[in-house]
Amino acid sequence: MSDVLLQMLEAGTTSLPNLLLQHYRQIGLLDEEMMIIIHLLAFKSEGKPFPTMHELEERLSTEASVVIKRIQRLVQQGYISIEETVDPSTRVRSEWYCFTPLHKKVIACLEGKVISEDIPDAARTSGSVKNLYAMFEEEFGRPLSPIECENLAMWIDQDGYSEALIIAALREAVISGKLFFRYIDRILFEWHRNNIRTPKQAREYSLKFRKHQQRSGQTLPQGLSTAAASGALPQEFPFYNWLEEETDS
C-alpha cells in the first residue's frame, strides 16, 4: 500500500482552472473536447507539452483518428494553438500546445462578449452532443477520408460557412438521397451565391424552389415522390437538385 501511495504522490497533480470547468460549454466546447484539454494539461504537468496521438489514445476511449479530428477543431476554432520553440544551444525544434487562446475565450465569456447565439447549434444541444465531423460520419455511415475532413475545414476557414449552415446543407443532401461532398458543396455554393447565410433563409429558399417545381409540373425523383406524398419528407428541407441549378456565366 505504501508503494502505491508513493507512486500517487510522485505522479503529481494537474492544475485546472475552476472557471474553465464552469464555463467551457458557454464558449462552445464539447464534453469530449474538454476531456482532451484536461489530458493535454495533464501531459504538460508531466513534462510532455506535446504528447503524441498514440499517448493520447492510450488515455482516452477514442481512436487516434477521432482524437486528431477533435484537436484539429480545437486549433481551427481558436481554443488552443501549436507553438514552436528552438533550443538556442542545440538548434533543435520542438512543438507545444498553448492554452492562452482558451483562457482568452473564458475571459471574454465572463466579460459578456460571448452570447449563446454565437455558439453553433451542435455545441449547444444537450444530450448526445456531436461535433460537425461526427455528424457527417454518422450520416455517411463511415469515417471521413482525409480529403473530406479537409473539405469540411475549408468550408469553415476559407469559405466562411457557419457550422449551422453546413449542418442544414448536410440535412438537405440526406433528404435528397445525394449524400456526397460534391453535392453538399454545390448546395453551400448556391446558398452563398444567393446571399443565404442562415438555416432559416435556406429553408425559405428551398421552399421557394419546391413551389416553383410544383407550378412548372416538375416531379420529385422516384422514391422521394412517394415519401413526399406520404408526408415522410420534411417540409423544411424539400428536395431540390442543386447539381442541375444553372450558374451565372
Side-chain angles (χ1 to χ4, degrees):
M1 179 64 70
S2 59
D3 291 340
V4 175
L5 181 59
L6 183 61
Q7 289 177 357
M8 290 177 61
L9 292 173
E10 291 180 345
T13 58
T14 299
S15 176
L16 188 65
N18 287 332
L19 286 175
L20 176 58
L21 286 176
Q22 294 167 5
H23 298 285
Y24 75 89
R25 290 198 63 190
Q26 290 176 254
I27 62 174
L29 279 174
L30 305 178
D31 293 342
E32 308 93 288
E33 294 167 342
M34 186 61 210
M35 183 54 66
I36 289 178
I37 287 176
I38 291 174
H39 280 292
L40 290 177
L41 289 170
F43 273 112
K44 180 181 179 182
S45 68
E46 297 166 16
K48 295 182 178 180
F50 198 74
T52 66
M53 290 300 124
H54 178 68
E55 289 174 325
L56 284 169
E57 183 184 18
E58 286 184 332
R59 295 193 181 183
L60 295 161
S61 58
T62 310
E63 295 181 356
S65 60
V66 178
V67 177
I68 291 172
K69 292 173 186 176
R70 288 174 181 165
I71 289 181
Q72 284 176 340
R73 180 184 182 274
L74 289 172
V75 174
Q76 291 165 357
Q77 298 297 316
Y79 292 101
I80 61 177
S81 62
I82 299 176
E83 307 296 335
E84 186 179 72
T85 302
V86 180
D87 189 309
S89 58
T90 62
R91 307 304 298 173
V92 174
R93 298 177 181 271
S94 59
E95 295 176 314
W96 53 282
Y97 288 106
C98 176
F99 300 95
T100 300
L102 179 64
H103 298 153
K104 288 182 177 180
K105 282 184 178 289
V106 174
I107 293 172
C109 176
L110 294 174
E111 292 178 346
K113 296 179 181 179
V114 177
I115 57 177
S116 60
E117 286 78 11
D118 292 332
I119 301 175
D121 291 340
R124 293 201 308 265
T125 305
S126 59
S128 56
V129 183
K130 301 179 180 66
N131 62 28
L132 193 59
Y133 290 92
M135 291 184 70
F136 268 74
E137 290 183 333
E138 181 176 330
E139 294 296 347
F140 276 66
R142 59 170 175 77
L144 298 181
S145 68
I147 293 179
E148 290 170 336
C149 291
E150 185 178 348
N151 281 340
L152 265 178
M154 288 176 62
W155 286 342
I156 296 174
D157 299 334
Q158 295 186 19
D159 299 324
Y161 302 136
S162 69
E163 290 192 22
L165 196 65
I166 293 173
I167 292 171
L170 171 63
R171 289 173 178 168
E172 177 124 2
V174 170
I175 294 299
S176 302
K178 296 182 179 293
L179 201 57
F180 48 92
F181 266 71
R182 178 170 168 256
Y183 190 78
I184 298 172
D185 185 66
R186 185 50 185 260
I187 293 174
L188 291 168
F189 173 78
E190 289 298 328
W191 285 349
H192 181 78
R193 191 168 67 98
N194 289 276
N195 201 33
I196 304 301
R197 298 293 183 267
T198 68
K200 181 181 178 181
Q201 292 174 330
R203 286 194 293 270
E204 294 172 351
Y205 188 72
S206 299
L207 209 60
K208 180 186 70 173
F209 274 110
R210 183 176 184 182
K211 291 178 181 178
H212 173 73
Q213 288 177 322
Q214 290 174 343
R215 286 196 302 267
S216 61
Q218 297 179 23
T219 59
L220 295 175
Q222 186 177 4
L224 287 178
S225 57
T226 303
S230 64
L233 193 61
Q235 292 292 321
E236 61 268 27
F237 288 105
F239 173 81
Y240 185 74
N241 193 346
W242 300 95
L243 290 180
E244 293 181 1
E245 168 69 4
E246 294 182 358
T247 58
D248 294 335
S249 57

